C-alpha cells in the first residue's frame, strides 16, 4: 500500500552550527570521482609486467642451455661486449673499472648495511623489515633464475674485473638497483627530491651496467634482466607494504600521523564539506597537533555571520594501520585488553566515533556535538566534523578549583550511569572553558564496559585533576560521588599500561608519585589488579613474532657474511664431463688453465653439494653420507704449491699428480695436487668418521678432466663457429 508524501513533514537533516551559511547538499552521481580520488601508480605495474616478461623469456630461451635461440642472443650480446670493450682512449679502462666499483661486493655490502643502520636510527622499522626481506628475496630469485638459465660469461673477451657465478641475471647490478631504489623509498621524501633521485639512480645503475659490459663481466641482456628484477621488487614491495600515504617519509617536526591539508587534500576537504554537509568553508588549518597522534586535528572556519569554528578529525589508512600495530603491540605485551580488537576499515573507525559522540550527547555528557562526517576517498580518508570549543584550554594548563574537580568526577559518574567507558582519560582530552570541564576525543568509547574499565577511568580522572590541585582535595570531593570501595578499586586497576602515555609523562615531569599519594589516603592499600591477559591467541602471536625475528636474523646474518660474494654458487647437483655450460664457466674463471676438472663418476654415497665459480677460481664441494659434509673439496686455480707432497702416477695425459697424507688423531686428511700447463687442481679429503681412510680410495675415481681445446671445439660447433672461448681466436 502506497502512502502519499506529506509535504508538511520536513526531512530530517544533520544539525549544523547556528549562524552558518547553508548550501544545499549535492549527491555525487554514479561514476563521478570522490573529492580526493585515489590514483593507482601505474609505473610499478609496468615494471612488474616487464620483469615477468623478461623472466619468462629468459627461461624459455636459456633453460635448454646454449642451443637454438640462446646461441643467437649470445652472439648478439658478445658482439656488443666486444665492440664496447674494443673502444680505446687514454685511461678508459681505468674509468670502466672505477664505475664497475659501484657494483662491487664491498660497495653493495656497505649499501645494504648502511641502509639497515639508517632505518634503525630513524626508527622506520616497517621499512626495515620490507628492505631486509626484499634484499634477501632478490638474491634468492636471482640465484634461482641463474641456475635455470645456466649462462656463462661473455665469450672471446678478457674480464679484468670481479665476477662470480652465472651471468644471467647480473646479480651485482640487480642488488645495486634494488639498494638504490630502496634508498629512494625509505629515506627520500616523495615529491621533487624523489623525482630527481630517480634520475640519479637511473644514471648510476646505467653507468655501472655499462662498465661491466665494457669489461666483459656481463652481457647487455644480463644487465637488462638484472635491472628489471632490482627495480621491480623494491618498487612493488614498498608501494604495497609501506606506501608513502600510510608511512610517509618526512623529516619535519611533528608526528607522522599528521597529514598535509594543503594542495589537493585541502581542496578536497572544502569540496567535501560543501557537497556532503552543505557548509561553505573559509579556512582549514591544523590545530592541537601536540595532543593528537591518532588523527589529524583541524580547525575549520565556516562562513556565517559571524564566521563559525568547527573541529575536524581527518582519518586515513595510516591512522588505521597505526591503530592495528599499537593494539598488536599491547596484545603481545599484556594480552588483549577489554575490547581492543582493531578496526577493519577507516569508515568503521569514523562511524564508531560519530556514534560515540551521539551516545555521549544522549547521556548528557559535556562532549562536542557531532555534525556528521565527510568521505574524501572511499575506504581511505574521512573527515569527522564536530563542535569546536573555542576558548577552551587543556586541563594541564587550566586553573583547577572545586567546580572543575566536581565536573570531572561528575563526568565519570555519568559515564558509569550510562554504561559507558571513555578508555582514554588524560589531560589532552579534558578541556576547561569558563570554569567548566568538557570531555573530548571519544573515538574509543565502549558501551557496557567491564568493571575494570570503569575503575580505570575513575582513577585516571583523579590523577589528572591532582596534577593541577592536591590529591587530598580531589579525594575528599570524590567521596561525595563515589564510595571508598569504588575509589580503592580504581587505584588497584590503574597501573602501568592502564595509564595513558601523556598522563604517565606528566606525572614523571612533576617528580611526584600521585598514585602513591592517593593510596596513602585510602583506609587500606588496594590489592593490585593484574593487567596481564593470557590466551592461546597471545601465545601463538608471540611464537609467530619469535619465528619472524629468527628468520630476519638469519637473513641479516646471511647478508653480513657476504656469502654471495665469496661463494657465488651455481646451484647445480652434478658436473659431468659432458655438461658444457659449467665447464665453459670454469674455463673463463681461470683463462690460463689447459684442463678443467669435472666429475667422472660418483660412487655410492657421494653427492655434489655445491659448486662455486668466480674470477680466478672454481670450487667443488662433495658430501658423503657416512664420511660427512664437505668430505672432499676440489679447487681449480692458476697455480698451487705441492711442497711436501709425493709425486705419483697420473691417470690423465699432461697432468702431474702429487699426494700428501696428514696424520691426526681421529681424522684422515689427504691432499692431491694435479698440475698442468696454466693451472692446478687441489683436492682435499677430510674424513672425521673414517680415521683409517677407507673412503680415500674412492676419491680418485670422482675427479676427471676436460681439455680446454675440447671445450673450445665444442663451443665452436655449438655456435657454428660464431663464438670463441678465448680472446684472439679466429672463427
Amino acid at each position: 500500500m502506497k502512502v502519499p508524501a506529506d509535504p508538511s513533514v520536513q526531512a530530517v537533516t544533520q544539525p549544523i552550527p547556528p549562524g552558518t551559511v547553508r548550501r544545499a547538499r549535492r549527491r555525487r552521481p554514479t561514476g563521478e570521482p570522490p573529492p580526493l580520488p585515489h590514483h593507482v601508480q601505474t609505473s610499478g605495474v609496468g615494471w612488474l609486467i616487464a620483469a615477468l616478461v623478461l623472466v619468462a623469456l629468459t627461461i624459455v630461451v636459456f633453460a635448454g642451455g646454449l642451443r637454438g635461440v640462446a646461441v643467437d642472443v649470445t652472439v648478439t650480446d658478445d658482439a656488443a661486449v666486444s665492440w664496447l670493450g674494443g673502444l680505446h682512449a687514454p685511461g678508459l679502462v681505468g674509468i670502466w673499472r672505477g664505475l664497475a666499483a659501484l657494483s662491487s661486493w664491498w660497495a653493495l655490502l656497505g649499501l645494504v648495511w648502511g641502509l639497515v643502520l639508517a632505518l634503525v636510527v630513524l626508527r622506520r622499522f616497517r621499512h626495515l623489515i620490507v628492505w631486509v626481506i626484499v634484499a634477501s628475496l632478490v638474491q634468492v630469485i636471482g640465484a634461482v633464475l641463474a641456475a635455470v638459465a645456466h649462462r656463462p660469461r661473455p665469450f672471446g673477451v678478457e674480464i679484468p674485473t670481479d665476477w662470480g657465478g652465472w651471468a644471467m641475471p647480473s646479480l651485482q647490478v640487480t642488488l645495486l638497483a634494488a639498494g638504490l631504489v630502496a634508498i629512494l623509498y625509505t629515506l627520500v621524501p616523495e615529491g621533487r627530491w624523489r623525482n630527481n633521485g630517480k634520475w640519479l639512480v637511473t644514471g648510476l645503475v646505467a653507468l655501472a651496467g655499462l662498465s661491466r659490459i665494457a669489461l666483459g663481466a656481463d652481457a647487455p641482456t644480463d644487465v637488462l634482466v638484472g635491472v628489471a628484477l632490482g627495480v621491480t621488487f623494491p618498487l612493488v614491495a614498498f608501494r604495497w607494504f609501506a606506501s608513502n600515504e600510510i608511512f610517509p617519509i618526512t623529516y619535519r617536526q611533528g608526528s607522522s600521523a599528521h597529514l598535509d591539508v594543503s594542495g589537493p587534500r585541502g581542496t578536497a576537504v572544502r569540496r567535501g564539506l560543501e557537497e556532503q554537509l552543505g557548509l561553505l568553508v573559509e579556512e582549514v588549518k591544523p590545530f592541537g597537533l601536540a595532543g593528537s597522534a591518532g588523527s589529524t586535528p583541524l580547525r575549520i572556519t565556516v562562513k556565517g555571520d559571524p564566521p563559525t569554528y568547527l573541529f575536524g578529525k581527518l582519518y586515513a589508512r595510516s591512522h588505521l594501520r597505526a591503530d592495528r600495530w599499537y593494539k598488536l603491540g599491547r596484545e603481545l605485551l599484556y594480552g588483549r585488553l577489554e575490547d581492543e580488537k582493531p578496526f577493519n576499515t577507516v569508515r568503521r573507525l569514523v562511524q564508531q566515533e560519530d556514534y560515540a559522540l551521539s551516545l555521549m550527547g544522549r547521556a548528557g555528557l559535556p562532549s562536542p556535538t557531532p555534525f556528521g562526517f565527510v568521505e574524501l576517498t572511499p575506504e581511505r580518508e574521512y573527515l569527522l566534523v564536530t563542535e569546536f570549543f573555542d576558548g577552551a584550554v587543556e586541563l594541564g594548563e587550566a586553573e583547577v578549583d572545586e567546580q572543575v574537580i566536581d565536573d570531572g568526577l561528575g563526568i565519570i559518574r555519568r559515564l558509569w550511569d550510562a554504561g559507558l567507558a571513555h578508555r582514554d582519560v588524560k589531560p589532552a582530552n579534558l578541556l576547561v572553558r569558563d570554569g567548566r570541564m568538557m570531555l573530548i576525543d571519544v573515538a574509543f568509547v565502549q558501551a557496557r564496559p567491564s568493571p575494570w574499565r570503569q575503575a580505570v577511568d575513575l582513577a585516571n580522572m583523579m590523577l589528572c585533576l591532582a596534577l593541577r590541585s592536591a590529591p587530598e582535595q580531589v579525594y575528599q570531593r570524590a567521596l561525595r560521588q563515589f564510595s571508598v570501595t569504588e575509589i580503592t578499586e580504581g587505584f588497584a586497576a590503574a597501573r602501568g599500561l592502564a595509564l595513558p602515555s601523556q598522563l604517565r609523562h606528566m606525572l614523571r615531569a612533576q617528580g611526584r608519585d600521585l598514585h602513591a599519594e592517593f593510596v596513602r589516603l585510602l583506609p587500606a592499600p588496594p590489592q593490585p589488579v593484574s593487567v596481564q591477559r593470557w590466551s592461546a591467541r597471545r601465545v601463538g602471536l608471540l611464537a609467530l613474532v619469535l619465528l619472524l625475528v629468527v628468520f630476519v636474523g638469519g637473513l641479516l646474518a646471511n647478508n653480513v657474511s657476504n656469502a654471495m660474494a665469496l661463494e657465488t654458487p651455481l646451484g647445480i647437483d652434478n658436473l659431468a664431463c659432458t655438461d658444457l655450460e659449467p665447464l665453459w664457466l670454469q674455463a673463463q674463471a681461470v683463462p690460463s688453465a689447459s684442463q678443467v676438472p669435472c666429475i667422472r663418476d660418483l660412487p655410492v654415497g657421494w653427492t655434489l653439494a655445491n659448486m662455486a665459480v668466480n674470477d680466478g677460481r672454481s670450487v667443488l664441494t662433495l658430501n658423503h653420507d657416512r664420511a660427512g659434509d664437505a668430505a672432499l673439496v676440489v679447487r681449480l686455480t692458476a697455480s698451487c704449491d705441492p711442497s711436501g707432497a709425493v709425486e705419483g702416477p697420473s691417470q690423465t695425459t699432461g697432468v702431474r699428480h702429487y699426494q700428501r697424507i696428514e696424520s691426526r688423531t681421529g681424522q684422515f686428511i689427504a691432499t692431491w695436487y694435479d698440475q698442468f700447463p696454466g693451472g692446478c687442481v687441489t683436492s682435499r679429503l677430510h674424513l672425521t668418521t673414517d680415521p683409517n681412510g677407507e673412503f680415500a680410495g674412492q676419491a680418485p675415481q670422482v675427479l676427471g678432466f676436460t681439455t680446454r681445446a675440447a671445450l673450445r671445439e665444442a663451443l665452436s660447433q655449438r655456435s657454428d663457429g660464431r663464438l670463441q672461448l678465448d680472446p684472439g681466436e679466429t672463427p
Side-chain angles (χ1 to χ4, degrees), residues 37-313:
H38 174 64
H39 298 289
V40 179
Q41 293 179 301
T42 58
S43 59
V45 177
W47 276 102
L48 182 60
I49 294 174
L52 292 175
V53 170
L54 287 174
V55 168
L57 289 175
T58 298
I59 295 174
V60 170
V61 173
F62 293 101
L66 195 61
R67 293 181 174 85
V69 180
V71 174
D72 299 328
V73 174
T74 302
V75 169
T76 303
D77 274 343
D78 289 2
V81 172
S82 299
W83 176 82
L84 191 59
L87 297 178
H88 297 289
L92 184 58
V93 175
I95 294 175
W96 291 135
R97 287 179 174 175
L99 293 174
L102 294 172
S103 60
S104 67
W105 287 112
W106 292 111
L108 294 174
L109 189 63
L111 187 152
V112 169
W113 281 97
L115 183 54
V116 168
L117 180 61
L119 295 177
V120 170
V121 171
L122 295 172
R123 301 179 65 184
R124 293 175 185 163
F125 298 112
R126 186 178 183 90
H127 292 89
L128 173 62
I129 294 174
V130 173
W131 165 236
V132 171
I133 294 176
V134 164
S136 301
L137 193 62
V138 165
Q139 292 187 28
V140 171
I141 292 181
V144 171
L145 185 60
V148 172
H150 282 193
R151 193 184 194 193
R153 299 286 159 171
F155 295 111
V157 295
E158 295 181 1
I159 310 177
T161 188
D162 64 299
W163 60 270
W166 299 110
M168 172 71 78
S170 177
L171 187 57
Q172 289 171 256
V173 173
T174 301
L175 292 176
L176 176 64
L180 293 178
V181 171
I183 288 175
L184 285 179
Y185 283 86
T186 58
L187 300 181
V188 182
E190 188 178 38
R192 180 170 60 88
W193 285 100
R194 184 176 292 178
N195 292 333
N196 293 337
K198 291 177 181 178
W199 288 106
L200 178 61
V201 168
T202 301
L204 291 175
V205 174
L207 289 174
L210 193 66
S211 64
R212 292 186 63 82
I213 294 173
L215 294 173
D218 296 320
T221 52
D222 304 332
V223 172
L224 182 62
V225 175
V227 169
L229 293 177
V231 172
T232 300
F233 277 94
L235 182 67
V236 173
F238 283 112
R239 286 185 177 176
W240 185 265
F241 297 106
S243 62
N244 190 78
E245 64 176 4
I246 300 176
F247 301 96
I249 305 301
T250 178
Y251 295 94
R252 67 176 187 270
Q253 296 294 324
S255 172
S256 60
H258 302 147
L259 303 176
D260 183 14
V261 292
S262 61
R265 182 176 282 111
T267 303
V269 167
R270 290 171 169 80
R271 177 185 168 191
L273 288 169
E274 179 179 346
E275 294 183 351
Q276 299 175 37
L277 297 184
L279 301 174
L280 298 180
V281 178
E282 290 185 350
E283 184 184 42
V284 176
K285 62 184 299 184
F287 176 84
L289 299 180
S292 174
S295 64
T296 303
L298 305 172
R299 188 180 72 176
I300 304 169
T301 306
V302 181
K303 290 182 180 180
D305 188 19
T308 305
Y309 291 134
L310 296 180
F311 184 72
K313 294 180 71 174

Side-chain angles (χ1 to χ4, degrees), residues 256-589:
S256 60
H258 302 147
L259 303 176
D260 183 14
V261 292
S262 61
R265 182 176 282 111
T267 303
V269 167
R270 290 171 169 80
R271 177 185 168 191
L273 288 169
E274 179 179 346
E275 294 183 351
Q276 299 175 37
L277 297 184
L279 301 174
L280 298 180
V281 178
E282 290 185 350
E283 184 184 42
V284 176
K285 62 184 299 184
F287 176 84
L289 299 180
S292 174
S295 64
T296 303
L298 305 172
R299 188 180 72 176
I300 304 169
T301 306
V302 181
K303 290 182 180 180
D305 188 19
T308 305
Y309 291 134
L310 296 180
F311 184 72
K313 294 180 71 174
L314 180 60
Y315 284 106
R317 290 185 67 182
S318 57
H319 305 118
L320 182 71
R321 295 284 182 90
D323 178 66
R324 288 178 178 174
W325 283 103
Y326 172 71
K327 289 178 178 176
L328 176 61
R330 286 167 67 96
E331 184 171 1
L332 291 174
L333 291 175
Y334 301 99
R336 177 174 289 179
L337 300 181
E338 306 290 339
D339 190 29
E340 289 202 345
K341 186 175 181 180
F343 294 97
N344 294 325
T345 64
V346 185
R347 184 196 297 269
R348 293 288 179 88
L349 177 62
V350 178
Q351 286 181 174
Q352 157 65 19
E353 185 164 0
D354 187 61
Y355 170 68
L357 285 167
S358 300
L359 284 180
M360 301 291 277
R362 191 169 66 193
L365 286 154
S367 293
T369 302
F371 297 127
F373 60 88
V374 174
E375 181 183 71
L376 300 179
T377 307
E379 306 302 336
R380 303 182 73 90
E381 289 195 30
Y382 291 85
L383 176 66
L384 177 69
V385 183
T386 70
E387 177 186 2
F388 182 80
F389 290 145
D390 194 16
V393 296
E394 290 186 8
L395 180 65
E397 303 174 358
E399 294 294 330
V400 176
D401 54 18
E402 288 188 350
Q403 180 63 60
V404 173
I405 294 174
D406 289 342
D407 283 349
L409 296 170
I411 287 173
I412 301 301
R413 171 51 67 186
R414 283 195 290 273
L415 284 170
W416 285 20
D417 292 343
L420 302 173
H422 186 273
R423 295 175 53 195
D424 195 21
V425 176
K426 60 184 180 181
N429 292 337
L430 302 172
L431 302 183
V432 177
R433 184 176 66 177
D434 299 330
R436 305 306 298 264
M437 180 181 287
M438 293 164 288
L439 183 65
I440 63 172
D441 198 0
V442 300
F444 301 108
V445 161
Q446 180 181 354
R448 297 302 164 203
S450 69
W452 176 81
R453 276 290 184 201
Q454 294 177 311
V456 168
D457 274 357
L458 173 59
N460 285 342
M461 177 62 79
M462 295 179 67
L463 289 170
C464 289
L465 293 170
L467 286 169
R468 301 287 293 177
S469 61
E472 295 82 1
Q473 183 183 18
V474 175
Y475 180 71
Q476 292 300 324
R477 305 302 296 185
L479 290 176
R480 294 170 176 260
Q481 303 189 51
F482 299 94
S483 67
V484 173
T485 301
E486 291 172 332
I487 297 174
T488 302
E489 181 187 356
F491 285 98
R495 301 184 305 112
L497 183 71
L499 275 66
S501 57
Q502 185 202 29
L503 179 56
R504 293 198 304 269
H505 294 157
M506 296 182 72
L507 291 173
R508 285 197 296 266
Q510 285 199 357
R512 300 168 57 192
D513 190 350
L514 291 179
H515 188 282
E517 293 183 35
F518 275 113
V519 169
R520 285 194 291 268
L521 296 173
L522 298 171
Q527 294 296 322
V529 176
S530 176
V531 180
Q532 293 284 350
R533 299 289 189 273
W534 285 100
S535 64
R537 174 185 168 87
R538 182 185 178 191
V539 173
L541 285 174
L542 287 171
L544 182 62
V545 170
L546 180 61
L547 290 175
L548 181 62
V549 170
V550 172
F551 174 71
V552 173
L555 295 181
L556 291 174
N558 179 66
N559 285 333
V560 77
S561 67
N562 206 10
M564 296 298 292
L566 299 177
E567 297 179 2
T568 56
L570 300 188
I572 60 177
D573 56 7
N574 193 17
L575 184 62
C577 296
T578 56
D579 293 339
L580 294 176
E581 283 77 13
L583 296 178
W584 285 327
L585 192 64
Q586 285 193 95
Q588 292 175 318

